């Protein structure tokens, strides 16, 4: 069965149609509509495009920011017009077929575990470091999910107290409703916040990354970012002990990020014990579309 994967972002929608051997057959990219009826129609139009291109109804998978609450199927995603709407239900009713809807970090995790950097390993945790921080755990090709639908929302694990208190870092209100989530310190905005708190500097994340080698104050900021992020990876190691961590999102493009995190992670782990290998995602910015398609294909074939 052919599968359509849709990466539903706040500004763009990327749709990719895959053949049964996972060759990319075609793709379509459109702006994300600002109203819910227009968004629903655009997604239905993309499925109609894929059905026509395939000649048969395709399996439909959508990877999007935020989470879906299994209790009411409503989408929790502040930057999407679908926020508070049961989008997966509306789509599957309109299409008269199952629609697989999953968080975009989980879609990237599946894509990287099955097709990308995590291929050689059985237990793969993808950690997406960008505007937000999220992830997903794939074991033997299966995304690990649970009844709450929140597994993988690792950006909302609390930041390590010994680092926050030891360095006098701020405890920030997180948009999720909790306080002191690690995302508020290690996302792109989080890195900027660290520079402000530690050195009084008003710089963006790309400015900090570009200048860190030649500025001792920014070097210190970078090391704290690495220590905080490594502590999160250590939490993942203590819970699911993955073979590898695949880094995605904009901050995974920072030169030497894998190496610097590997050094920081060795310091966070018990002395003498091993840690997961840290790799960068291979699938690029639209890796999530392939993961969403694969999740849908699996539902159709299981
Ligand atoms: Zn949070």
């Amino acid at each position: 069965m052919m599968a359509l994967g849709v990466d539903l972002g706040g500004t763009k929608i990327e749709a990719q149609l895959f053949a049964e051997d996972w060759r990319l057959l075609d793709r379509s990219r459109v702006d994300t509509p600002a109203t819910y009826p227009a968004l629903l129609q655009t997604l239905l139009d993309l499925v109609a495009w894929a059905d026509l291109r395939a000649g048969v109804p395709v399996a439909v998978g959508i990877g999007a920011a935020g989470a879906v609450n299994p209790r009411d199927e409503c989408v929790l995603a502040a930057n999407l017009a679908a926020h508070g709407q049961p989008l997966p239900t509306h789509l599957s009713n309109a299409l008269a077929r199952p629609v697989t809807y999953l968080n975009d970090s989980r879609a990237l995790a599946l894509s990287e575990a099955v097709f990308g950097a995590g291929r050689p390993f059985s237990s793969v945790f993808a950690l997406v470091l960008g505007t937000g921080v999220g992830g997903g755990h794939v074991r033997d090709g299966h995304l690990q999910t649970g009844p709450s639908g929140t597994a993988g929302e690792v950006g909302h694990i609390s930041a390590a107290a010994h680092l926050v208190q030891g360095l006098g870092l701020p405890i920030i209100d997180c948009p999720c409703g909790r306080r002191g989530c690690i995302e508020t310190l290690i996302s792109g905005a989080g890195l900027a916040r660290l520079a402000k708190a530690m050195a009084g500097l008003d710089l963006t994340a790309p400015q900090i990354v570009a200048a860190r080698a030649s500025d001792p104050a920014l070097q210190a900021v970078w090391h704290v970012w690495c220590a905080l992020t490594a502590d999160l990876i250590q939490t993942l190691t203590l819970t699911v002990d993955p073979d590898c961590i695949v880094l995605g999102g904009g901050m995974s493009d920072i030169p030497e990020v894998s190496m610097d995190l590997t050094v920081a992670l060795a310091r966070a782990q018990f002395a003498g014990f091993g840690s997961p290998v840290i790799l960068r995602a291979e699938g690029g910015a639209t890796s999530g579309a392939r993961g969403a398609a694969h999740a849908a294909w699996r539902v159709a074939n299981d």
Side-chain angles (χ1 to χ4, degrees), residues 112-124 140 243-244 246 277 279 282:
E112 289 298 323
V114 177
F115 304 106
R119 241 175 14 256
F121 304 98
S122 94
S123 175
V124 177
D140 298 327
D243 297 314
C244 86
V246 178
V277 181
L279 302 168
E282 289 177 356

Side-chain angles (χ1 to χ4, degrees), residues 155-157 173-184:
H156 305 287
I157 290 173
D173 288 333
C174 184
C176 77
R178 287 158 46 85
R179 300 190 71 219
C181 296
I182 187 78
E183 177 178 291
T184 65

Side-chain angles (χ1 to χ4, degrees), residues 12-13 38 50 84 91 99 129 141 160 169 181 196 198 228 233 271 290:
K12 296 277 181 199
I13 301 174
L91 284 170
V99 169
L129 301 162
L169 299 176
C181 296
K196 181 72 178 172
M198 292 176 61
L228 285 162
I233 296 173
R290 188 181 287 263

Side-chain angles (χ1 to χ4, degrees), residues 98-292:
V99 169
T100 304
Y101 192 99
L102 71 170
N103 170 273
D104 50 7
S105 297
R106 254 75 88 201
L108 180 134
L110 193 54
S111 175
E112 289 298 323
V114 177
F115 304 106
R119 241 175 14 256
F121 304 98
S122 94
S123 175
V124 177
F125 205 108
L127 179 61
V128 179
L129 301 162
T131 316
V133 173
H137 182 215
V138 177
R139 189 181 283 278
D140 298 327
H142 291 271
L143 191 62
Q144 303 297 293
T145 58
S148 77
T150 58
E153 293 292 334
V154 296
H156 305 287
I157 290 173
S158 299
H162 67 281
L163 294 169
V164 172
Q165 191 183 49
L167 295 159
L169 299 176
I171 294 172
I172 310 284
D173 288 333
C174 184
C176 77
R178 287 158 46 85
R179 300 190 71 219
C181 296
I182 187 78
E183 177 178 291
T184 65
L185 297 175
I186 65 169
S187 63
L191 179 59
R193 223 172 246 140
L194 289 178
K196 181 72 178 172
M198 292 176 61
L201 297 168
D202 281 305
L203 295 171
T204 63
Q207 288 170 331
I208 295 162
V209 167
R212 74 191 197 275
S214 56
D215 183 324
L218 294 179
Q219 185 79 261
V221 168
W222 175 247
H223 282 303
V224 168
W225 184 89
C226 288
L228 285 162
T229 306
D231 200 89
L232 171 61
I233 296 173
Q234 174 64 5
T235 300
L236 304 176
T237 305
L238 295 174
T239 11
V240 298
D241 201 6
D243 297 314
C244 86
I245 300 284
V246 178
L247 302 177
M251 299 185 78
S252 69
D253 293 330
I254 296 172
E256 280 125 46
V257 66
S258 304
M259 200 174 69
D260 290 354
L261 284 177
T262 298
V263 171
L265 182 58
R267 285 199 200 106
Q269 174 63 299
F270 301 144
F273 282 75
S275 289
V277 181
I278 301 178
L279 302 168
R280 282 161 66 173
E282 289 177 356
T286 60
S287 188
R290 188 181 287 263

